[in-house]
Amino acid sequence: MAAARVAILGAGSTGCFIGGCWLAAGLPVTFIGRERIAKEIARIGLTISDFSGLQTSFSDVDYRTDSSALAEADIIALCVKSGSTEDAIRDIAAHAREGALVISFQNGIRNFDLLEKGLGDRFEVARGLVSYNVAYLGEGRFHKGVAGVLWAEDLPRTRTLAERIGEGPAKLCLSSDMLGLAWGKLLINLNNAVNALSGRTLLEELKQRDYRRVLSASQREGLALLNAAGIQPAKVGAVGPTLLPRVIDSPDWVFRNIFLKKWKIDERARSSMADDLAAGRPTEVDYLNGELVALAERLGRDGPINRKIVDLVRAAEAGAEPLPPAALRRAVLG
């Protein structure tokens, strides 16, 4: 049986890395994204790499800018930014073949609900999760700078896809608790904003305890809100959600020598929100820290730490300078 044809809708940093991994695994992949990236890949090709030393290049890549290419896909890996979900729904509804599987590999929680509402009567919609960061290094190169795997909801078609992909950097892990994993990942992704506000690489930021104090405080606030809502976040990565803030807030000598070494973060890694700020694009803060602020409002409570971080990211989007460690701690925690 021929492998299902995959379309990566929103083939930026994460989408190009996932699609490149799946190409290397032998799947037929069409990339759909921005004209700038299409021209670059047409001229130079596509290269994917990771912290372990993996590097694979492709000279013949099917990268398009027109969403009409969705008509050829059996599986659509949705990698657009959360603010573009409504546009993606319209593109899929207009062009994709009836019954295609749509997997949301997006940040945040609410995107799946939007997709299910907009597409669920004509398409199969599944939750997905990317538990790592990908940086664009220029010249058609996309680099996975931290450890982590790709997740998708455990369904018959995702099982078939996972079997086709096999082991290695392209591996697709399956779970029947994707909502729990999504909340667990969101707690980790609260570092996206701290990293973006720091103006530093992930390694440089995480080595500073004042930055980590801000992150751990936002995670503790998030855990309290999830507990009040009866939501159980699942473990994503090496540390469970309830232990994570304590690990993050540990003294420098403990954190640097024990935890940071195990997390396999290379010197080039940075958060996607940092990339967005650097490129002058809107960030996804409303779908990360803002998700907790919205949950607090639904519960009739407050989320002052995450609300303050959202405000600071908004200021950064408007041109505010990065904040040194102590300055960010004072701005958020007082």
Side-chain angles (χ1 to χ4, degrees):
M1 182 184 297
R5 183 160 196 89
V6 176
I8 308 289
L9 181 57
S13 296
T14 299
C16 281
F17 184 83
I18 293 171
C21 284
W22 289 1
L23 268 180
L27 272 71
V29 179
T30 296
F31 299 76
I32 305 170
R34 298 188 185 97
E35 184 174 357
R36 174 183 59 81
I37 299 178
K39 288 181 177 179
E40 186 172 287
I41 290 176
R43 179 172 59 88
I44 302 172
L46 170 68
T47 297
I48 57 171
S49 58
D50 74 5
F51 62 92
S52 71
L54 163 79
Q55 182 162 313
T56 306
S57 297
F58 308 90
S59 58
D60 185 16
V61 177
D62 183 11
Y63 196 111
R64 311 189 204 179
T65 59
D66 189 344
S67 55
S68 64
L70 291 168
E72 303 169 21
D74 304 295
I75 298 171
I76 300 167
L78 186 59
C79 299
V80 302
K81 295 289 186 180
S82 296
S84 298
T85 300
E86 294 284 5
D87 291 337
I89 289 171
R90 286 190 286 272
D91 285 342
I92 293 168
H95 299 292
R97 97 178 34 153
E98 194 97 0
L101 172 64
V102 180
I103 309 174
S104 171
F105 289 116
Q106 300 168 276
N107 282 330
I109 305 297
R110 76 188 84 159
N111 290 306
F112 175 82
D113 296 329
L114 291 172
L115 292 165
E116 184 68 30
K117 181 179 178 181
L119 300 173
D121 59 336
R122 294 176 51 203
F123 302 91
E124 185 175 13
V125 181
R127 290 186 186 272
L129 186 146
V130 184
S131 67
Y132 50 78
N133 296 99
V134 177
Y136 168 61
L137 302 182
E139 299 297 305
R141 297 177 299 157
F142 299 89
H143 181 73
K144 175 187 173 184
V146 299
V149 297
L150 203 61
W151 290 88
E153 190 173 349
D154 189 0
L155 300 169
R157 292 167 81 182
T158 56
R159 277 182 230 134
T160 300
L161 176 62
E163 289 169 4
R164 291 281 190 182
I165 294 168
E167 297 295 322
K171 181 179 179 179
L172 182 65
C173 299
L174 304 178
S175 173
S176 57
D177 183 24
M178 288 303 302
L179 183 58
L181 284 172
W183 279 111
K185 175 68 186 321
L186 186 142
L187 291 170
I188 295 172
N189 271 354
L190 295 178
N191 189 53
N192 283 18
V194 177
N195 180 246
L197 291 168
S198 77
R200 308 184 184 201
T201 66
L202 283 170
L203 263 182
E204 291 169 341
E205 171 237 325
L206 287 170
K207 286 179 179 178
Q208 300 296 321
R209 195 177 185 191
D210 277 337
Y211 286 140
R212 299 200 312 275
R213 283 172 171 161
V214 173
L215 173 57
S216 65
S218 69
Q219 291 171 334
R220 287 188 175 98
E221 182 177 89
L223 284 167
L225 291 168
L226 293 176
N227 184 61
I231 297 170
Q232 180 62 53
K235 180 180 178 181
V236 178
V239 180
T242 56
L243 184 60
L244 187 61
R246 292 173 58 191
V247 168
I248 294 294
D249 196 23
S250 59
D252 279 339
W253 68 271
V254 174
F255 184 81
R256 293 184 185 186
N257 293 306
I258 298 177
F259 300 114
L260 196 55
K261 286 183 178 179
K262 292 183 178 180
W263 287 353
K264 298 179 181 178
I265 303 173
D266 75 21
E267 295 178 353
R268 291 173 287 186
R270 57 185 182 265
S271 73
S272 58
M273 196 176 295
D275 285 341
D276 288 337
L277 281 184
R281 296 189 296 261
T283 72
E284 293 185 298
V285 70
D286 284 342
Y287 297 85
L288 298 173
N289 305 78
E291 197 77 62
L292 293 171
V293 175
L295 177 60
E297 291 172 352
R298 292 196 297 272
L299 294 170
R301 299 173 61 152
D302 192 15
I305 293 170
N306 284 284
R307 180 164 37 80
K308 181 61 178 178
I309 291 172
V310 171
D311 291 342
L312 289 170
V313 172
R314 290 277 174 259
E317 289 175 334
E321 293 294 318
L323 291 166
L328 183 61
R329 174 181 52 77
R330 288 193 298 269
V332 177
L333 306 180

